[in-house]
Amino acid sequence: MWIKDGEWIVELSRDTHPREVMVELTTACNYNCIFCFRRVTDEPLNAFMSKEVFSKLIKDSIEAHVTKLSFTGWGEVFVHPNALEFIKKSKEEGFRVLVSTNGSLLPETAENLVKLGVDELHVSVDSLRSELYSMLRVGGKLSNVTKGLLEVYRLKRELGVRKPDVTLQMTLNRVNASDLPKLPEYALRVGASRAVVSLMIPLTPGMEKSLSCLASKECLQEIKVMRDEVEKLAPYITVVMPNTFAAAERRCPFISRGATYVRWDGSVAPCIYYAHSWRHSFEGIMREIKAITFGNIHDKSLLDIWRDDDYVAFRFRTYFFRMPSCLDCPVRNYCSLTLSNEMDCWGNSPTCSFCPFSHDIVRCPL
């Protein structure tokens, strides 16, 4: 396939294929985090990927030369009754495997994850104070997560293995910003090699006004201090900090890595942000996110969907960001086109013009 852009004709590589697949085993979760996308969707939140869909996904991923499967998405991986079975199958087929979890069931699953040789483990830790953790991650206990992380660390040392490589993920807001300086020490204590800090996506203008770091001088100062300390921490742990502004240079974490997203029902979405319909606020502007899918592995192979003309054109536009930047547009407060991802003022449909992930304000669990 080729794409004409002005006087240029760009040809797609004939052997194009997805390199990574984010696998959404379920939309169910045992937490009810205050900033979770799940709070602002009208879609069902108790769906589970069937064994048939997963078997088809494995078959298609092998044929498409996918090298990595990331188990995460809109639900908690270990709520799925077959999660460990699916992870085991993925490792047996030779895939690199990333598991992203809220950590609630880590004490029960730690031994399996280590012995199965899971490559990467991402665990969300949004406060290092027990009471605040439970307020932010409703339904969870920090002590339980810490217990699970320490068990993974103990087992790795006992068995003399390095996997899984553990990353902590913190969603930063005004109330947990003061925990940021303590994050590296905690990460070292539980055996993590990396901590990734992401800003929250406010679900409503009220939440943005009361919790968003972008509107708080104190929170932004905590980020600045930590950013200044990052290089000193380099020999011991990697700390990845978010942008606090709409960057001039944009990059899609999914498309730049050759990644795609397979929902619980087999539908193929371009990313976690557009996998389901929901809504959120940025600078007081409420935006509707409409789910974007390019096919279902029930009907076509994953590789055929990846090479579908519409999906290819979407990836081209997004890889080179041939679209406006709505987050820092001077007329963003008056533009009706920026209120959904259906179309932008350059005629792109759908559009990623206001995606906070592309500005590195928010981080994808890839």
Side-chain angles (χ1 to χ4, degrees), residues 37-235:
F37 302 174
R38 301 170 72 259
R39 284 177 171 253
V40 282
T41 181
D42 298 321
E43 296 187 18
L45 293 173
N46 58 349
F48 293 83
M49 182 176 283
S50 68
K51 289 187 176 183
E52 292 72 23
V53 171
F54 183 74
S55 294
K56 180 63 161 56
L57 172 58
I58 288 291
K59 175 179 177 292
D60 283 7
S61 295
I62 292 170
E63 292 176 354
H65 303 292
V66 170
T67 58
K68 180 179 177 181
L69 300 181
S70 296
F71 289 87
T72 180
W74 273 52
E76 165 53 36
V77 169
F78 293 116
V79 168
H80 196 294
N82 304 113
L84 288 171
E85 175 190 341
F86 291 170
I87 292 167
K88 181 175 185 288
K89 175 66 173 175
S90 303
K91 288 300 301 179
E92 288 173 347
E93 294 294 346
F95 294 102
R96 283 183 56 80
V97 169
L98 180 155
V99 175
S100 183
T101 173
N102 61 29
S104 60
L105 300 173
L106 202 51
E108 297 90 337
T109 56
E111 184 173 1
N112 281 293
L113 294 176
V114 175
K115 289 185 175 179
L116 287 174
V118 166
D119 299 277
E120 300 174 59
L121 177 64
H122 289 202
V123 182
S124 297
V125 180
D126 290 331
S127 177
L128 304 180
R129 289 170 281 168
S130 297
E131 185 177 353
L132 179 57
Y133 177 93
S134 297
M135 289 173 61
L136 294 172
R137 302 188 71 80
V138 180
K141 292 183 178 180
L142 177 62
S143 59
N144 203 44
V145 177
T146 303
K147 179 182 177 182
L149 285 165
L150 289 171
E151 181 63 7
V152 170
Y153 192 24
R154 183 191 70 80
L155 287 163
K156 286 167 62 176
R157 287 178 293 173
E158 183 179 288
L159 298 173
V161 297
R162 294 186 176 184
K163 296 178 182 179
D165 188 42
V166 177
T167 294
L168 301 184
Q169 293 183 306
M170 174 180 275
T171 302
L172 203 66
N173 54 66
R174 293 191 199 186
V175 296
N176 69 359
S178 60
D179 287 351
L180 193 54
K182 307 169 193 171
L183 182 60
E185 181 183 350
Y186 177 84
L188 288 170
R189 181 164 75 87
V190 298
S193 63
R194 193 169 71 129
V196 175
V197 180
S198 175
L199 297 186
M200 62 177 283
I201 300 180
L203 306 182
T204 66
M207 177 180 284
E208 183 174 20
K209 189 175 181 180
S210 61
L211 285 178
S212 174
C213 274
L214 296 178
S216 166
K217 290 181 180 179
E218 293 80 8
C219 191
L220 292 176
Q221 179 61 25
E222 292 285 5
I223 293 173
K224 181 181 183 301
V225 170
M226 178 56 75
R227 201 184 301 280
D228 292 341
E229 292 293 315
V230 164
E231 289 186 10
K232 300 176 187 177
L233 298 167

Side-chain angles (χ1 to χ4, degrees), residues 231-283:
E231 289 186 10
K232 300 176 187 177
L233 298 167
Y236 311 104
I237 185 170
T238 300
V239 179
V240 183
M241 299 299 296
N243 275 340
T244 55
F245 53 87
E249 182 179 350
R250 289 174 288 166
R251 172 182 170 272
C252 173
F254 269 79
I255 290 173
S256 63
R257 294 171 63 114
T260 193
Y261 186 106
V262 178
R263 301 192 325 186
W264 66 272
D265 59 355
S267 296
V268 178
C271 62
I272 191 171
Y273 188 51
Y274 285 170
H276 298 280
S277 296
W278 61 296
R279 52 198 172 271
H280 68 68
S281 172
F282 252 99
E283 294 196 352

